[in-house]
Amino acid sequence: MLILGIETSCDETSAAVVEETGDASKPWAVRSNIVASQVAIHREWGGVVPELASRQHIRDICGVVERSLDEARTAWSDLGAVAVTQGPGLVGSLLVGVSFAKSASAAAGLPLVAVHHLAGHIESLVLQNGELPLPAIVLVVSGGHTSLYLVEKPGHYELLSRTRDDAAGEAYDKVAKLLGLGYPGGPVIDRLARTGNDRAVLLPTTRLTHADRNAPELKGDLDFSFSGLKTAVLRHVRKERAAGAPSEREIADICASFQRVVVTGLLDRLFDAARRYQAKSVGIAGGVSANSRLRAELADRGARREIPTFLPSLALSTDNAAMIAAAGLRKFRAGARASMDLNADAALAL
Ligand code: KG4
Ligand code: ZN
């Protein structure tokens, strides 16, 4: 069976065709995965402007879907279902994908499947690598989320912890902004950090030990926090600026020092959770999983602890519809069908 996936939760319009392989260990294959990025539009404003994002999705969605079908050499009549991101995300952006998917499903007589954006990121690991050895601990780390999930059975995601304040990608974006490096911040900080000294600037690491009053059901000691780190970078930059504009060398040092603290914090919690739940594998998905230091250190730590580690390809790390199609196929096989009153949900829970 072939499924069409549609993703419009933030600032990329994406459509993909994913095929079921019939091989239980590697269940899906990507036939096409088209992403129209709006980065150039939002860069001018230093971040995503929701109103501009939804308007651009409307302009792009038809062409992106047509191209995904063309590239996959697929006609509407070859498809078995349509999967779409229902949430979380920007509501105006989500609505474009949801409305398009509902119309397409009605017009082509195809079943509709609603997908949670983070289920898509988690399934990007399976799309890339095949089924993970379970139980697995998956860290989803993006511009909007930093959360740890326990996957005991395929398609079941149990939230173990999340960030109390900023997401890791958001911290990258904010630090890049205050250094004048532009948007999005992750790729440029990643690049500059390679030339800097990661011990040059002393920055705080946050280790939470108590439960969060807003989420008493979680123990809280695996939670993340990045706002203190961001503020420490801001203070450091202000102090340096008082003594003159920071040099390229100093900026590279700040990037490297910031990145070391973020990556260490993410991996410490991930491997703490792996030990606690006796995981047979660990994975990292979401936009920040494109980070070169995070990828290298994940492999290192996994090898030292003799636990297999998994990552999506760079194309499957950032937002894309192939991961939504994959998660949609999983749900479709479990019997999930959405009705024509499906609505976008900006704060959808997984
Ligand atoms: O998953 P994604 O495409 O969108 C969301 O669902 O948020 O993630 C985007 C985030 C941005 O904050 C961006 O700065 C970050 O991922 N990012 C990176 C890298 N590439 C993208 N962060 C660190 N290092 C990178 N190489
Ligand atoms: Zn995402």
Side-chain angles (χ1 to χ4, degrees):
M1 178 179 130
L2 296 172
I3 190 166
L4 172 70
I6 293 173
E7 153 67 38
T8 63
S9 68
C10 189
D11 61 342
E12 9 262 345
T13 316
S14 182
V17 176
V18 166
E19 182 177 15
E20 242 177 343
T21 60
D23 172 355
S25 66
K26 196 159 190 318
W28 314 306
V30 180
R31 289 268 288 254
S32 67
N33 191 17
I34 306 300
V35 181
S37 170
Q38 304 178 1
V39 161
I41 294 166
H42 301 292
R43 185 171 283 141
E44 204 178 319
W45 308 93
V48 177
V49 183
E51 182 64 24
L52 294 180
S54 46
R55 286 170 189 271
Q56 193 60 34
H57 284 306
I58 292 173
R59 289 187 199 103
D60 286 341
I61 185 82
C62 292
V64 165
V65 170
E66 275 171 12
R67 237 190 97 190
S68 75
L69 293 172
D70 279 356
E71 235 178 59
R73 296 178 190 285
T74 302
W76 285 99
S77 55
D78 301 327
L79 294 170
V82 178
V84 65
T85 307
Q86 183 190 4
L90 302 170
V91 75
S93 293
L94 288 164
L95 272 170
V96 177
V98 168
S99 311
F100 186 96
K102 288 200 306 193
S103 317
S105 136
L110 293 167
L112 181 65
V113 185
V115 174
H116 191 287
H117 183 74
L118 297 191
H121 277 302
I122 294 171
E123 298 300 351
S124 73
L125 291 166
V126 178
L127 185 57
Q128 176 75 33
N129 304 286
E131 297 287 0
L132 310 185
L134 300 181
I137 304 287
V138 177
L139 168 66
V140 181
V141 65
S142 69
H145 299 270
T146 304
S147 307
L148 281 176
Y149 287 92
L150 169 66
V151 184
E152 284 184 308
K153 279 189 289 178
H156 291 255
Y157 322 106
E158 186 191 334
L159 180 68
L160 300 178
S161 76
R162 77 253 188 294
T163 178
R164 301 256 180 115
D165 38 60
D166 292 350
E170 193 179 354
Y172 268 95
D173 295 336
K174 288 179 175 172
V175 165
K177 196 170 186 176
L178 69 91
L179 290 173
L181 299 174
Y183 173 86
V188 53
I189 291 184
D190 190 1
R191 182 164 46 77
L192 294 176
R194 284 179 213 149
T195 62
N197 169 5
D198 67 3
R199 304 267 171 183
V201 186
L202 198 64
L203 295 169
T205 46
T206 310
R207 173 90 231 221
L208 296 157
T209 53
H210 55 285
D212 180 357
R213 259 180 304 156
N214 297 320
E217 71 283 5
L218 302 175
K219 273 185 80 182
D221 58 344
L222 290 171
D223 281 358
F224 303 90
S225 166
F226 296 102
S227 73
L229 174 61
K230 172 202 64 196
T231 308
V233 174
L234 179 64
R235 286 221 188 85
H236 176 82
V237 170
R238 281 209 185 122
K239 214 168 62 197
E240 280 205 341
R241 284 218 176 110
S247 66
E248 264 179 41
R249 159 100 266 144
E250 281 162 337
I251 288 181
D253 287 349
I254 295 169
C255 290
S257 303
F258 164 78
Q259 179 152 288
R260 181 175 69 83
V261 174
V262 174
V263 167
T264 307
L266 292 173
L267 292 177
D268 283 352
R269 292 305 96 71
L270 174 62
F271 282 94
D272 280 355
R275 197 177 326 115
R276 192 174 299 176
Y277 293 92
Q278 298 176 358
K280 294 208 169 69
S281 66
V282 299
I284 306 183
V288 181
S289 73
N291 186 265
S292 61
R293 180 164 184 162
L294 188 63
R295 294 177 90 86
E297 283 194 21
L298 173 70
D300 253 29
R301 287 207 200 190
R304 262 188 276 139
R305 298 190 192 196
E306 296 179 350
I307 180 164
T309 61
F310 296 95
L311 285 161
S313 66
L314 292 183
L316 293 178
S317 289
T318 44
D319 288 349
N320 68 88
M323 69 184 193
I324 301 303
L329 261 173
R330 173 96 75 201
K331 277 188 82 174
F332 181 83
R333 287 305 176 202
R337 303 290 184 272
S339 65
M340 278 301 132
D341 55 15
L342 177 72
N343 201 356
D345 184 345
L348 186 66
L350 182 56

